[in-house]
Amino acid sequence: MNLPLDVQTIRRRFPGLLRAGADRAAVFFDGPAGSQVPRSVADAMSHYLLFENANHGGDFATSVATDAVVQQARLACADLFGADDAEEVVFGPNMTTLTFHLSRALARTWRPGEEVVVTDSDHDANVMPWVLAARDAGCTVQRIAVKPDGSLDQHDVEKKIGKRTRLVAIGAASNLSGTIHPITRMAEIARHHGALTFVDAVHYAPHLHMDVRRFGCDFAVCSAYKFFGPHAGILWGRRALLEEIEAYKVRPAADHGAEKWQTGTASFEAMAGTHAAVEYLARLGHEHAATPPVDRRAALGVAFHAIERHERALCARLLRGLATIPGTHIVGIADPERVHERCPTVSFTHDRHRPAELAKALAARAVHCWAGHSYALALAQALGLHPHGVLRLGLLHYNTEEEVDFVLAQLRELLV
Ligand SMILES: Cc1ncc(COP(=O)(O)O)c(C=O)c1O
């Protein structure tokens, strides 16, 4: 049996969590917009910039060191995605830019009359790149509807994915409702019709063990700044597809491998930091394992198992607490018995108070959280949450029961 998460030891690794607020340590429930960073990540970035900084591909020492940083970061992210091949890992400034980049390249292979499928649950960064690419290629966009609990309408899934579909773009988990989507099933249906599947795992990555083989998808993206790393986006793609598709690139850039897809000079310091973020997670695995994990991928498995257990308990506590505050309406799955179907990102509205008003009042009490639609525009519209959106309390593994209780007490003071 692996050990339960040692949250107090973990918190000491995050200097940002020591920030003082109104008479107490600040509470960071803003993780879905960007997590705090362990010291090891900042150290790796500063080490790179101070001692190894160079462009890549040269024969001198710092350039050789930079090549090693790139390779190590790719290997680490391959382990995080559950991929075997480091050449399937592409770095970019963020998920949005990578998705626009790939969407344009893929769209060159689409023909008028063909279709692209997006969902009403997704962050706009997994909607508009496909909508615009489809428009330019003369393709039709199909949208999968969501049910009131934030889950995808399965009848619509069967209806919208068909023989004309070229690509299905789907989020692994919603950054607004927290709902986890049936990626494997969706990818199976897409494959059956000869379509590709692109998975936005940005919200999933800090909470659950990504596994592109299990997803059965063709591409997946995530952002390091959501899983305790620096501001960087990461794309995984099947090697054969990355080789086959023509990338928009300059002539001197590589014609093969991941380099073909990395436009311009990359942020090598962000790669050093992303590698350190994966190592941070793997270290959690080593520390919480009953028997030593055989490799980094196995260590990540143990880490996410411990993270999931801890986060589910926090999430259930928050859902139970919110249910006792009159006038609150939780978006998506509100049943504490169903926390395994969602990430610990809990959004809600209140009968009398607007989300922005509540976020401001909580900020004055040193609670960091967001109000609005968090770019999940279609979901906010579909669930009737537009234009004010929701108050989003986003928990990560470094959060505690005591913080959940504190925030609930603040909300009771404000709302009851
Ligand atoms: C689910 C989801 N997808 C995509 C994005 C966009 O990611 P990036 O900021 O790396 O472009 C976000 C950012 O909040 C997100 O939460």
PDB file of all heavy atoms in Angstrom, residues 32-34 93-97 122-126 171 173-176 200-204 222-226 232-233 374-375 392, ligand 1:
ATOM      1  N   PRO A  32      -6.139  26.220 -11.345  1.00  0.00           N
ATOM      2  CA  PRO A  32      -6.506  25.963 -12.739  1.00  0.00           C
ATOM      3  C   PRO A  32      -6.023  27.052 -13.702  1.00  0.00           C
ATOM      4  O   PRO A  32      -5.957  26.828 -14.912  1.00  0.00           O
ATOM      5  CB  PRO A  32      -8.042  25.922 -12.699  1.00  0.00           C
ATOM      6  CG  PRO A  32      -8.360  25.541 -11.301  1.00  0.00           C
ATOM      7  CD  PRO A  32      -7.303  26.182 -10.444  1.00  0.00           C
ATOM      8  N   ALA A  33      -5.680  28.218 -13.178  1.00  0.00           N
ATOM      9  CA  ALA A  33      -5.142  29.270 -14.049  1.00  0.00           C
ATOM     10  C   ALA A  33      -3.613  29.297 -13.984  1.00  0.00           C
ATOM     11  O   ALA A  33      -2.972  30.077 -14.690  1.00  0.00           O
ATOM     12  CB  ALA A  33      -5.710  30.624 -13.649  1.00  0.00           C
ATOM     13  N   GLY A  34      -3.041  28.477 -13.137  1.00  0.00           N
ATOM     14  CA  GLY A  34      -1.581  28.428 -12.983  1.00  0.00           C
ATOM     15  C   GLY A  34      -1.238  28.047 -11.552  1.00  0.00           C
ATOM     16  O   GLY A  34      -1.734  28.653 -10.609  1.00  0.00           O
ATOM     17  N   PRO A  93       5.254  27.953 -26.735  1.00  0.00           N
ATOM     18  CA  PRO A  93       5.035  28.958 -25.682  1.00  0.00           C
ATOM     19  C   PRO A  93       3.879  28.603 -24.751  1.00  0.00           C
ATOM     20  O   PRO A  93       3.894  28.920 -23.561  1.00  0.00           O
ATOM     21  CB  PRO A  93       4.729  30.249 -26.438  1.00  0.00           C
ATOM     22  CG  PRO A  93       4.709  29.926 -27.879  1.00  0.00           C
ATOM     23  CD  PRO A  93       5.101  28.502 -28.084  1.00  0.00           C
ATOM     24  N   ASN A  94       2.842  27.984 -25.290  1.00  0.00           N
ATOM     25  CA  ASN A  94       1.669  27.600 -24.482  1.00  0.00           C
ATOM     26  C   ASN A  94       0.813  26.657 -25.324  1.00  0.00           C
ATOM     27  O   ASN A  94       1.091  26.459 -26.507  1.00  0.00           O
ATOM     28  CB  ASN A  94       0.854  28.834 -24.059  1.00  0.00           C
ATOM     29  CG  ASN A  94       0.615  29.758 -25.246  1.00  0.00           C
ATOM     30  OD1 ASN A  94       0.085  29.330 -26.262  1.00  0.00           O
ATOM     31  ND2 ASN A  94       1.036  30.996 -25.133  1.00  0.00           N
ATOM     32  N   MET A  95      -0.212  26.113 -24.706  1.00  0.00           N
ATOM     33  CA  MET A  95      -1.069  25.166 -25.432  1.00  0.00           C
ATOM     34  C   MET A  95      -1.784  25.844 -26.588  1.00  0.00           C
ATOM     35  O   MET A  95      -1.938  25.262 -27.676  1.00  0.00           O
ATOM     36  CB  MET A  95      -2.086  24.566 -24.440  1.00  0.00           C
ATOM     37  CG  MET A  95      -3.150  23.693 -25.040  1.00  0.00           C
ATOM     38  SD  MET A  95      -4.542  24.679 -25.677  1.00  0.00           S
ATOM     39  CE  MET A  95      -5.656  23.405 -26.172  1.00  0.00           C
ATOM     40  N   THR A  96      -2.231  27.069 -26.387  1.00  0.00           N
ATOM     41  CA  THR A  96      -3.032  27.747 -27.412  1.00  0.00           C
ATOM     42  C   THR A  96      -2.224  27.902 -28.699  1.00  0.00           C
ATOM     43  O   THR A  96      -2.706  27.597 -29.797  1.00  0.00           O
ATOM     44  CB  THR A  96      -3.500  29.122 -26.899  1.00  0.00           C
ATOM     45  OG1 THR A  96      -4.178  28.945 -25.652  1.00  0.00           O
ATOM     46  CG2 THR A  96      -4.427  29.801 -27.882  1.00  0.00           C
ATOM     47  N   THR A  97      -0.989  28.357 -28.568  1.00  0.00           N
ATOM     48  CA  THR A  97      -0.152  28.577 -29.752  1.00  0.00           C
ATOM     49  C   THR A  97       0.136  27.258 -30.461  1.00  0.00           C
ATOM     50  O   THR A  97       0.079  27.179 -31.693  1.00  0.00           O
ATOM     51  CB  THR A  97       1.163  29.265 -29.325  1.00  0.00           C
ATOM     52  OG1 THR A  97       0.820  30.441 -28.584  1.00  0.00           O
ATOM     53  CG2 THR A  97       2.006  29.652 -30.507  1.00  0.00           C
ATOM     54  N   ASP A 122     -15.442  22.465 -23.905  1.00  0.00           N
ATOM     55  CA  ASP A 122     -14.006  22.773 -23.960  1.00  0.00           C
ATOM     56  C   ASP A 122     -13.637  24.238 -23.747  1.00  0.00           C
ATOM     57  O   ASP A 122     -14.412  25.149 -24.011  1.00  0.00           O
ATOM     58  CB  ASP A 122     -13.438  22.301 -25.304  1.00  0.00           C
ATOM     59  CG  ASP A 122     -13.006  20.848 -25.239  1.00  0.00           C
ATOM     60  OD1 ASP A 122     -13.872  19.961 -25.332  1.00  0.00           O
ATOM     61  OD2 ASP A 122     -11.801  20.623 -25.034  1.00  0.00           O
ATOM     62  N   HIS A 123     -12.429  24.426 -23.259  1.00  0.00           N
ATOM     63  CA  HIS A 123     -11.765  25.733 -23.221  1.00  0.00           C
ATOM     64  C   HIS A 123     -11.697  26.238 -24.670  1.00  0.00           C
ATOM     65  O   HIS A 123     -11.520  25.443 -25.595  1.00  0.00           O
ATOM     66  CB  HIS A 123     -10.363  25.520 -22.650  1.00  0.00           C
ATOM     67  CG  HIS A 123      -9.582  26.765 -22.399  1.00  0.00           C
ATOM     68  ND1 HIS A 123      -9.026  27.507 -23.397  1.00  0.00           N
ATOM     69  CD2 HIS A 123      -9.235  27.395 -21.243  1.00  0.00           C
ATOM     70  CE1 HIS A 123      -8.364  28.534 -22.878  1.00  0.00           C
ATOM     71  NE2 HIS A 123      -8.484  28.488 -21.561  1.00  0.00           N
ATOM     72  N   ASP A 124     -11.811  27.538 -24.857  1.00  0.00           N
ATOM     73  CA  ASP A 124     -11.843  28.064 -26.222  1.00  0.00           C
ATOM     74  C   ASP A 124     -10.566  27.753 -27.012  1.00  0.00           C
ATOM     75  O   ASP A 124     -10.591  27.759 -28.247  1.00  0.00           O
ATOM     76  CB  ASP A 124     -12.093  29.580 -26.198  1.00  0.00           C
ATOM     77  CG  ASP A 124     -13.008  30.009 -27.340  1.00  0.00           C
ATOM     78  OD1 ASP A 124     -14.011  29.303 -27.592  1.00  0.00           O
ATOM     79  OD2 ASP A 124     -12.706  31.017 -28.007  1.00  0.00           O
ATOM     80  N   ALA A 125      -9.483  27.467 -26.313  1.00  0.00           N
ATOM     81  CA  ALA A 125      -8.237  27.137 -27.003  1.00  0.00           C
ATOM     82  C   ALA A 125      -8.315  25.778 -27.690  1.00  0.00           C
ATOM     83  O   ALA A 125      -7.458  25.448 -28.510  1.00  0.00           O
ATOM     84  CB  ALA A 125      -7.068  27.146 -26.019  1.00  0.00           C
ATOM     85  N   ASN A 126      -9.342  24.990 -27.345  1.00  0.00           N
ATOM     86  CA  ASN A 126      -9.554  23.732 -28.067  1.00  0.00           C
ATOM     87  C   ASN A 126     -10.821  23.800 -28.922  1.00  0.00           C
ATOM     88  O   ASN A 126     -11.365  22.783 -29.307  1.00  0.00           O
ATOM     89  CB  ASN A 126      -9.631  22.547 -27.091  1.00  0.00           C
ATOM     90  CG  ASN A 126      -9.374  21.213 -27.789  1.00  0.00           C
ATOM     91  OD1 ASN A 126      -8.681  21.158 -28.808  1.00  0.00           O
ATOM     92  ND2 ASN A 126      -9.952  20.146 -27.261  1.00  0.00           N
ATOM     93  N   GLY A 171     -11.571  17.860 -24.684  1.00  0.00           N
ATOM     94  CA  GLY A 171     -10.824  18.111 -23.451  1.00  0.00           C
ATOM     95  C   GLY A 171     -10.880  16.882 -22.559  1.00  0.00           C
ATOM     96  O   GLY A 171     -11.936  16.243 -22.433  1.00  0.00           O
ATOM     97  N   ALA A 173     -10.512  16.988 -19.344  1.00  0.00           N
ATOM     98  CA  ALA A 173     -11.294  17.426 -18.182  1.00  0.00           C
ATOM     99  C   ALA A 173     -11.595  18.908 -18.351  1.00  0.00           C
ATOM    100  O   ALA A 173     -10.770  19.658 -18.869  1.00  0.00           O
ATOM    101  CB  ALA A 173     -10.518  17.190 -16.889  1.00  0.00           C
ATOM    102  N   SER A 174     -12.774  19.304 -17.880  1.00  0.00           N
ATOM    103  CA  SER A 174     -13.180  20.710 -18.045  1.00  0.00           C
ATOM    104  C   SER A 174     -12.530  21.598 -16.988  1.00  0.00           C
ATOM    105  O   SER A 174     -12.547  21.265 -15.798  1.00  0.00           O
ATOM    106  CB  SER A 174     -14.701  20.813 -17.922  1.00  0.00           C
ATOM    107  OG  SER A 174     -15.075  22.145 -17.627  1.00  0.00           O
ATOM    108  N   ASN A 175     -12.031  22.746 -17.430  1.00  0.00           N
ATOM    109  CA  ASN A 175     -11.418  23.675 -16.484  1.00  0.00           C
ATOM    110  C   ASN A 175     -12.467  24.533 -15.781  1.00  0.00           C
ATOM    111  O   ASN A 175     -12.139  25.361 -14.952  1.00  0.00           O
ATOM    112  CB  ASN A 175     -10.407  24.599 -17.194  1.00  0.00           C
ATOM    113  CG  ASN A 175     -11.074  25.527 -18.187  1.00  0.00           C
ATOM    114  OD1 ASN A 175     -11.926  25.110 -18.947  1.00  0.00           O
ATOM    115  ND2 ASN A 175     -10.706  26.788 -18.180  1.00  0.00           N
ATOM    116  N   LEU A 176     -13.745  24.336 -16.117  1.00  0.00           N
ATOM    117  CA  LEU A 176     -14.811  25.088 -15.439  1.00  0.00           C
ATOM    118  C   LEU A 176     -15.614  24.179 -14.513  1.00  0.00           C
ATOM    119  O   LEU A 176     -15.784  24.470 -13.336  1.00  0.00           O
ATOM    120  CB  LEU A 176     -15.737  25.735 -16.477  1.00  0.00           C
ATOM    121  CG  LEU A 176     -16.721  26.719 -15.867  1.00  0.00           C
ATOM    122  CD1 LEU A 176     -16.139  28.122 -15.853  1.00  0.00           C
ATOM    123  CD2 LEU A 176     -18.035  26.733 -16.637  1.00  0.00           C
ATOM    124  N   ASP A 200      -7.103  17.872 -25.334  1.00  0.00           N
ATOM    125  CA  ASP A 200      -6.607  18.963 -24.504  1.00  0.00           C
ATOM    126  C   ASP A 200      -6.531  18.436 -23.066  1.00  0.00           C
ATOM    127  O   ASP A 200      -7.555  18.293 -22.394  1.00  0.00           O
ATOM    128  CB  ASP A 200      -7.578  20.146 -24.588  1.00  0.00           C
ATOM    129  CG  ASP A 200      -7.216  21.256 -23.593  1.00  0.00           C
ATOM    130  OD1 ASP A 200      -6.225  21.104 -22.849  1.00  0.00           O
ATOM    131  OD2 ASP A 200      -7.942  22.270 -23.555  1.00  0.00           O
ATOM    132  N   ALA A 201      -5.297  18.135 -22.639  1.00  0.00           N
ATOM    133  CA  ALA A 201      -5.116  17.583 -21.287  1.00  0.00           C
ATOM    134  C   ALA A 201      -4.595  18.647 -20.312  1.00  0.00           C
ATOM    135  O   ALA A 201      -4.063  18.310 -19.256  1.00  0.00           O
ATOM    136  CB  ALA A 201      -4.166  16.390 -21.332  1.00  0.00           C
ATOM    137  N   VAL A 202      -4.792  19.913 -20.658  1.00  0.00           N
ATOM    138  CA  VAL A 202      -4.251  20.985 -19.805  1.00  0.00           C
ATOM    139  C   VAL A 202      -4.821  20.902 -18.391  1.00  0.00           C
ATOM    140  O   VAL A 202      -4.083  20.981 -17.410  1.00  0.00           O
ATOM    141  CB  VAL A 202      -4.535  22.379 -20.424  1.00  0.00           C
ATOM    142  CG1 VAL A 202      -4.158  23.488 -19.458  1.00  0.00           C
ATOM    143  CG2 VAL A 202      -3.774  22.551 -21.733  1.00  0.00           C
ATOM    144  N   HIS A 203      -6.130  20.734 -18.294  1.00  0.00           N
ATOM    145  CA  HIS A 203      -6.717  20.713 -16.952  1.00  0.00           C
ATOM    146  C   HIS A 203      -6.509  19.369 -16.247  1.00  0.00           C
ATOM    147  O   HIS A 203      -6.473  19.299 -15.014  1.00  0.00           O
ATOM    148  CB  HIS A 203      -8.211  21.057 -17.010  1.00  0.00           C
ATOM    149  CG  HIS A 203      -8.764  21.348 -15.652  1.00  0.00           C
ATOM    150  ND1 HIS A 203      -8.415  22.468 -14.939  1.00  0.00           N
ATOM    151  CD2 HIS A 203      -9.568  20.630 -14.832  1.00  0.00           C
ATOM    152  CE1 HIS A 203      -8.990  22.444 -13.760  1.00  0.00           C
ATOM    153  NE2 HIS A 203      -9.698  21.332 -13.660  1.00  0.00           N
ATOM    154  N   TYR A 204      -6.355  18.339 -17.004  1.00  0.00           N
ATOM    155  CA  TYR A 204      -6.205  16.975 -16.479  1.00  0.00           C
ATOM    156  C   TYR A 204      -4.820  16.766 -15.858  1.00  0.00           C
ATOM    157  O   TYR A 204      -4.673  16.116 -14.815  1.00  0.00           O
ATOM    158  CB  TYR A 204      -6.383  16.054 -17.677  1.00  0.00           C
ATOM    159  CG  TYR A 204      -6.540  14.583 -17.455  1.00  0.00           C
ATOM    160  CD1 TYR A 204      -7.801  13.994 -17.377  1.00  0.00           C
ATOM    161  CD2 TYR A 204      -5.425  13.739 -17.401  1.00  0.00           C
ATOM    162  CE1 TYR A 204      -7.950  12.617 -17.244  1.00  0.00           C
ATOM    163  CE2 TYR A 204      -5.575  12.366 -17.260  1.00  0.00           C
ATOM    164  CZ  TYR A 204      -6.838  11.820 -17.179  1.00  0.00           C
ATOM    165  OH  TYR A 204      -6.988  10.465 -17.053  1.00  0.00           O
ATOM    166  N   CYS A 222      -0.617  19.768 -23.172  1.00  0.00           N
ATOM    167  CA  CYS A 222      -0.771  20.241 -21.802  1.00  0.00           C
ATOM    168  C   CYS A 222       0.141  21.454 -21.612  1.00  0.00           C
ATOM    169  O   CYS A 222       0.894  21.821 -22.515  1.00  0.00           O
ATOM    170  CB  CYS A 222      -0.483  19.144 -20.781  1.00  0.00           C
ATOM    171  SG  CYS A 222       1.197  18.531 -20.850  1.00  0.00           S
ATOM    172  N   SER A 223       0.036  22.087 -20.450  1.00  0.00           N
ATOM    173  CA  SER A 223       0.802  23.307 -20.181  1.00  0.00           C
ATOM    174  C   SER A 223       1.548  23.129 -18.865  1.00  0.00           C
ATOM    175  O   SER A 223       0.917  22.849 -17.836  1.00  0.00           O
ATOM    176  CB  SER A 223      -0.124  24.512 -20.061  1.00  0.00           C
ATOM    177  OG  SER A 223      -0.905  24.641 -21.217  1.00  0.00           O
ATOM    178  N   ALA A 224       2.875  23.334 -18.903  1.00  0.00           N
ATOM    179  CA  ALA A 224       3.681  23.069 -17.703  1.00  0.00           C
ATOM    180  C   ALA A 224       3.305  23.971 -16.534  1.00  0.00           C
ATOM    181  O   ALA A 224       3.431  23.577 -15.380  1.00  0.00           O
ATOM    182  CB  ALA A 224       5.160  23.232 -18.046  1.00  0.00           C
ATOM    183  N   TYR A 225       2.815  25.173 -16.833  1.00  0.00           N
ATOM    184  CA  TYR A 225       2.523  26.098 -15.720  1.00  0.00           C
ATOM    185  C   TYR A 225       1.294  25.682 -14.921  1.00  0.00           C
ATOM    186  O   TYR A 225       0.992  26.280 -13.891  1.00  0.00           O
ATOM    187  CB  TYR A 225       2.406  27.542 -16.229  1.00  0.00           C
ATOM    188  CG  TYR A 225       1.157  27.884 -16.987  1.00  0.00           C
ATOM    189  CD1 TYR A 225       0.081  28.505 -16.358  1.00  0.00           C
ATOM    190  CD2 TYR A 225       1.039  27.620 -18.350  1.00  0.00           C
ATOM    191  CE1 TYR A 225      -1.068  28.847 -17.043  1.00  0.00           C
ATOM    192  CE2 TYR A 225      -0.105  27.959 -19.049  1.00  0.00           C
ATOM    193  CZ  TYR A 225      -1.154  28.568 -18.394  1.00  0.00           C
ATOM    194  OH  TYR A 225      -2.289  28.896 -19.092  1.00  0.00           O
ATOM    195  N   LYS A 226       0.584  24.653 -15.403  1.00  0.00           N
ATOM    196  CA  LYS A 226      -0.542  24.126 -14.616  1.00  0.00           C
ATOM    197  C   LYS A 226      -0.080  22.952 -13.761  1.00  0.00           C
ATOM    198  O   LYS A 226      -0.791  22.531 -12.863  1.00  0.00           O
ATOM    199  CB  LYS A 226      -1.667  23.635 -15.526  1.00  0.00           C
ATOM    200  CG  LYS A 226      -2.066  24.562 -16.636  1.00  0.00           C
ATOM    201  CD  LYS A 226      -2.982  25.664 -16.196  1.00  0.00           C
ATOM    202  CE  LYS A 226      -3.576  26.347 -17.433  1.00  0.00           C
ATOM    203  NZ  LYS A 226      -4.394  27.488 -17.122  1.00  0.00           N
ATOM    204  N   ALA A 232       4.970  27.244 -20.328  1.00  0.00           N
ATOM    205  CA  ALA A 232       5.360  26.535 -21.549  1.00  0.00           C
ATOM    206  C   ALA A 232       4.216  25.591 -21.924  1.00  0.00           C
ATOM    207  O   ALA A 232       3.495  25.106 -21.047  1.00  0.00           O
ATOM    208  CB  ALA A 232       6.631  25.712 -21.316  1.00  0.00           C
ATOM    209  N   GLY A 233       4.076  25.350 -23.222  1.00  0.00           N
ATOM    210  CA  GLY A 233       3.086  24.375 -23.679  1.00  0.00           C
ATOM    211  C   GLY A 233       3.812  23.161 -24.233  1.00  0.00           C
ATOM    212  O   GLY A 233       4.957  23.271 -24.707  1.00  0.00           O
ATOM    213  N   SER A 374     -13.565  31.665 -17.399  1.00  0.00           N
ATOM    214  CA  SER A 374     -12.267  30.984 -17.534  1.00  0.00           C
ATOM    215  C   SER A 374     -12.035  30.458 -18.955  1.00  0.00           C
ATOM    216  O   SER A 374     -11.435  29.391 -19.130  1.00  0.00           O
ATOM    217  CB  SER A 374     -12.150  29.832 -16.526  1.00  0.00           C
ATOM    218  OG  SER A 374     -12.258  30.342 -15.229  1.00  0.00           O
ATOM    219  N   TYR A 375     -12.509  31.186 -19.945  1.00  0.00           N
ATOM    220  CA  TYR A 375     -12.337  30.850 -21.367  1.00  0.00           C
ATOM    221  C   TYR A 375     -13.130  29.606 -21.787  1.00  0.00           C
ATOM    222  O   TYR A 375     -13.016  29.174 -22.924  1.00  0.00           O
ATOM    223  CB  TYR A 375     -10.858  30.648 -21.738  1.00  0.00           C
ATOM    224  CG  TYR A 375     -10.069  31.940 -21.891  1.00  0.00           C
ATOM    225  CD1 TYR A 375     -10.270  33.018 -21.058  1.00  0.00           C
ATOM    226  CD2 TYR A 375      -9.111  32.062 -22.886  1.00  0.00           C
ATOM    227  CE1 TYR A 375      -9.539  34.188 -21.198  1.00  0.00           C
ATOM    228  CE2 TYR A 375      -8.366  33.234 -23.033  1.00  0.00           C
ATOM    229  CZ  TYR A 375      -8.595  34.285 -22.178  1.00  0.00           C
ATOM    230  OH  TYR A 375      -7.869  35.438 -22.331  1.00  0.00           O
ATOM    231  N   ARG A 392     -14.737  30.163  -9.183  1.00  0.00           N
ATOM    232  CA  ARG A 392     -14.053  28.869  -9.345  1.00  0.00           C
ATOM    233  C   ARG A 392     -13.032  28.665  -8.229  1.00  0.00           C
ATOM    234  O   ARG A 392     -12.103  29.456  -8.081  1.00  0.00           O
ATOM    235  CB  ARG A 392     -13.370  28.816 -10.704  1.00  0.00           C
ATOM    236  CG  ARG A 392     -12.679  27.489 -10.979  1.00  0.00           C
ATOM    237  CD  ARG A 392     -12.094  27.432 -12.369  1.00  0.00           C
ATOM    238  NE  ARG A 392     -10.929  28.278 -12.524  1.00  0.00           N
ATOM    239  CZ  ARG A 392     -10.181  28.335 -13.634  1.00  0.00           C
ATOM    240  NH1 ARG A 392     -10.487  27.596 -14.673  1.00  0.00           N
ATOM    241  NH2 ARG A 392      -9.139  29.130 -13.692  1.00  0.00           N
TER     242      ARG A 392
HETATM  243  C1  LIG B   1      -8.467  23.279 -20.261  1.00  0.00           C
HETATM  244  C2  LIG B   1      -7.555  24.324 -20.814  1.00  0.00           C
HETATM  245  N1  LIG B   1      -7.181  24.246 -22.096  1.00  0.00           N
HETATM  246  C3  LIG B   1      -6.350  25.136 -22.650  1.00  0.00           C
HETATM  247  C4  LIG B   1      -5.865  26.196 -21.925  1.00  0.00           C
HETATM  248  C5  LIG B   1      -4.927  27.156 -22.589  1.00  0.00           C
HETATM  249  O1  LIG B   1      -3.642  26.878 -22.182  1.00  0.00           O
HETATM  250  P1  LIG B   1      -2.440  27.875 -22.476  1.00  0.00           P
HETATM  251  O2  LIG B   1      -2.572  29.008 -21.502  1.00  0.00           O
HETATM  252  O3  LIG B   1      -1.216  27.058 -22.231  1.00  0.00           O
HETATM  253  O4  LIG B   1      -2.549  28.324 -23.876  1.00  0.00           O
HETATM  254  C6  LIG B   1      -6.220  26.327 -20.586  1.00  0.00           C
HETATM  255  C7  LIG B   1      -5.743  27.463 -19.794  1.00  0.00           C
HETATM  256  O5  LIG B   1      -6.324  27.847 -18.814  1.00  0.00           O
HETATM  257  C8  LIG B   1      -7.082  25.373 -20.018  1.00  0.00           C
HETATM  258  O6  LIG B   1      -7.456  25.429 -18.730  1.00  0.00           O
END
